[in-house]
Amino acid sequence: MVRAAVLPEVGAPLQITDIELPDPGPGRVRVRLAAAGVCHSDLSLSNGTMRVPVPAVLGHEGAGTVVSVGEGVADVAPGDPVVLNWAPSCGSCHACSLGEVWLCANALNGAADVYARTAAGVDLHPGLNVAAFAEETVVPASCLLPLPEGVPLTDAALLGCAVLTGYGAVHHSAQVRPGETVAVYGVGGVGLAALQAARIAGAARIVAVDVSPEKEELARNAGATDYVVASENTAREIRGLTGKQGVDVAVECVGRAATIRTAWDSTRRGGRTTVVGIGGKDQQVTFNALEIFHWGRTLSGCVYGNSDPARDLPVLADHIRSGRLDLGALVTERIALDGIPAAFENMLAGKGGRALIVFSSAAASRPS
């Protein structure tokens, strides 16, 4: 029996309770979590913006240590430190055949599985495949990535979503080039990672935008050269900071129609607007045909940072070891499992960066 945060049904409060994990079967691995990040996607799953089978254990951004492995597992062994990969590619669907593994048609098939039970015998599903809001989890071996040397195990949880998404949005989707100007909308975990990624890419001016004035120091520490408190004049302010042209690249990490529209409006003629935030079906964004022609901008969606975790994790580890990427700077609160509901409330209120669940039974780091 292990402690976990269970979503009994969509819209219901999370229940911190004991669950029963089975021994890992063929091709599966049991992992003791060191830490798990509380992502806005988890909030979207709990309130029904995104749908998963319930009851479920949420949490998709985590890192930990292998406890045991099932038959046929050869890539990891007990004691290995690993990062959870909530969207493993199947390697055989059309998207995977094109090398677009972040669009894998079968990546989330495991979310429909029954992977554990409550103490009362109720079947549980693994949220986005990996069920990281628990002291331990059992996952397919394909959902694990080996943790590179020199990366602290606890902070490595952030690599599983926030960093791959924010870094990938800048480097893979928007393809920011040295000397360009960038605006990042939303200074949460993903936005902070995008700000650091823009700095790593060599952006000349990096404008952070958020509704909260209190996040300015966070944003500047991550690499922002300018900070704008969101208002109806945001696009005009950003054009004023960029010689009335607008930024070369805008990265939207909020997922609201008004913010997407503002990000588009703040992008220069011929620039690129990348939408990372996950919005609801009710969030309708309107453009007229003439402005699309006139401005010549590119508007693109971005799934998981258009990242290939197996390819990108070693690159991110090199940035971490060199000091270019600071995982700890994304974290504004370290909490226990029962702190998740309050972390959800903080996200709804626009407070803080990433909340990180740290499990007391796991080692906080490992030697480089």
Side-chain angles (χ1 to χ4, degrees):
M1 303 292 284
V2 300
R3 299 287 284 173
V6 175
L7 178 69
E9 61 183 355
V10 172
L14 293 180
Q15 298 175 352
I16 311 301
T17 186
D18 289 331
I19 67 169
E20 183 177 351
L21 285 177
D23 293 331
R28 299 179 73 84
V29 180
R30 184 164 179 151
V31 177
R32 179 178 299 115
L33 273 296
V38 183
C39 178
H40 205 282
S41 295
D42 298 309
L43 178 60
S44 296
L45 292 168
S46 72
N47 64 25
T49 299
M50 297 165 58
R51 292 282 182 172
V52 292
V54 291
V57 174
L58 302 183
H60 61 282
E61 182 182 84
T65 304
V66 173
V67 174
S68 57
V69 301
E71 181 183 351
V73 175
D75 292 339
V76 295
D80 286 352
V82 291
V83 177
L84 300 181
N85 175 18
W86 62 271
S89 57
C90 70
S92 58
C93 71
H94 182 63
C96 286
S97 73
L98 296 175
E100 298 173 351
V101 298
W102 54 91
L103 298 178
C104 176
N106 301 308
L108 294 179
N109 286 357
D113 293 344
V114 172
Y115 94 110
R117 289 178 174 83
T118 67
V122 177
D123 290 345
L124 293 171
H125 301 282
L128 290 180
N129 284 329
V130 296
F133 286 173
E135 294 169 331
E136 296 187 12
T137 188
V138 174
V139 300
S142 60
C143 287
L144 298 178
L145 296 163
L147 179 65
E149 292 289 335
V151 179
L153 181 57
T154 299
D155 290 348
L158 303 169
L159 294 171
C161 183
V163 177
L164 277 168
T165 301
Y167 180 90
V170 168
H171 286 265
H172 302 320
S173 180
Q175 298 183 6
V176 174
R177 298 181 289 267
E180 289 193 310
T181 53
V182 177
V184 175
Y185 286 78
V187 184
V190 173
L192 288 168
L195 289 168
Q196 290 202 44
R199 174 175 45 76
I200 291 169
R205 191 160 205 161
I206 305 170
V207 185
V209 183
D210 198 276
V211 296
S212 172
E214 288 76 22
K215 290 188 180 182
E216 180 170 358
E217 183 177 359
L218 267 178
R220 289 189 180 276
N221 288 341
T225 58
D226 301 271
Y227 191 82
V228 172
V229 178
S231 71
E232 61 183 15
N233 295 318
T234 295
R236 184 179 303 166
E237 286 187 58
I238 291 177
R239 288 195 298 270
L241 292 170
T242 54
K244 299 184 179 180
Q245 297 300 310
V247 289
D248 297 300
V249 171
V251 180
E252 199 273 358
C253 303
V254 180
R256 293 178 184 159
T259 315
I260 294 170
R261 178 70 222 202
T262 302
W264 165 271
D265 288 339
S266 69
T267 306
R268 69 167 175 84
R269 195 175 188 188
R272 290 104 66 201
T273 305
T274 292
V275 178
V276 181
I278 301 172
K281 293 180 180 179
D282 61 325
Q283 295 292 309
Q284 299 291 318
V285 189
T286 303
F287 306 92
N288 67 60
L290 180 60
E291 70 173 315
I292 292 174
F293 160 77
H294 172 76
W295 290 104
R297 296 165 175 151
T298 300
L299 177 68
S300 61
C302 178
V303 177
Y304 203 6
N306 293 8
S307 294
D308 178 347
R311 174 199 66 197
D312 293 335
L313 198 60
V315 175
L316 293 172
D318 183 62
H319 287 311
I320 293 165
R321 288 190 294 262
S322 71
R324 292 185 295 269
L325 178 61
D326 181 1
L327 296 179
L330 276 64
V331 180
T332 53
E333 188 178 18
R334 295 177 187 263
I335 61 174
L337 199 60
D338 59 7
I340 299 173
F344 278 2
E345 290 299 319
N346 285 338
M347 280 192 288
L348 284 170
K351 296 179 180 178
R354 198 51 129 216
L356 188 67
I357 305 161
V358 179
F359 295 93
S360 59
S361 60
S365 63
R366 81 171 213 255
S368 60

